[in-house]
Amino acid sequence: MVISVRFNQQEERVLKRLSNYYDEDRSKLLKKSLMEMYETLLDRKVIDKFEAKERAKKVRFYTAEEILKKI
C-alpha cells in the first residue's frame, strides 16, 4: 500500500533533519515512528489495566523472600 503524506515546510525540515541524524530514509523513519507510537498505545492499555486493579485493591506485591519460598 502506498500512502501520500503532505508536510508543511517546517515538518519537512524536521523530517529531513531526523532522517539525516538517524541515517534512515524518510519512509523507514516514519514507519518506525508509527510502530513506536503503537507500542506506546499498547503499553498504556496495560498500565491502565494495572492501575484499575490497584485502585480496586486487587494488586499484591511479593518480596524476594516470598518468591524464593514458593519455588
Side-chain angles (χ1 to χ4, degrees):
M1 177 189 332
V2 175
I3 297 175
S4 295
V5 180
R6 291 189 178 114
F7 293 101
N8 63 34
Q9 288 180 343
Q10 181 182 3
E11 293 165 338
E12 176 62 25
R13 281 193 303 269
V14 169
L15 183 58
K16 187 175 181 180
R17 182 175 284 176
L18 290 171
S19 179
N20 290 334
Y21 181 81
Y22 289 107
D23 194 28
E24 297 278 2
D25 64 66
R26 295 169 189 193
S27 180
K28 192 170 184 180
L29 187 68
L30 290 170
K31 288 176 187 178
K32 287 173 96 171
S33 297
L34 179 68
M35 293 311 295
E36 287 179 14
M37 289 178 73
Y38 184 64
E39 183 180 324
T40 299
L41 173 69
L42 295 178
D43 289 346
R44 184 75 248 168
K45 286 183 177 187
V46 170
I47 291 167
D48 290 345
K49 188 175 179 179
F50 171 80
E51 288 176 344
K53 282 183 176 182
E54 193 175 38
R55 282 190 299 276
K57 307 275 192 235
K58 294 182 179 180
V59 175
R60 179 167 179 342
F61 293 99
Y62 295 91
T63 65
E65 292 80 19
E66 291 173 316
I67 293 171
L68 291 173
K69 285 180 186 176
K70 290 185 182 237
I71 51 175

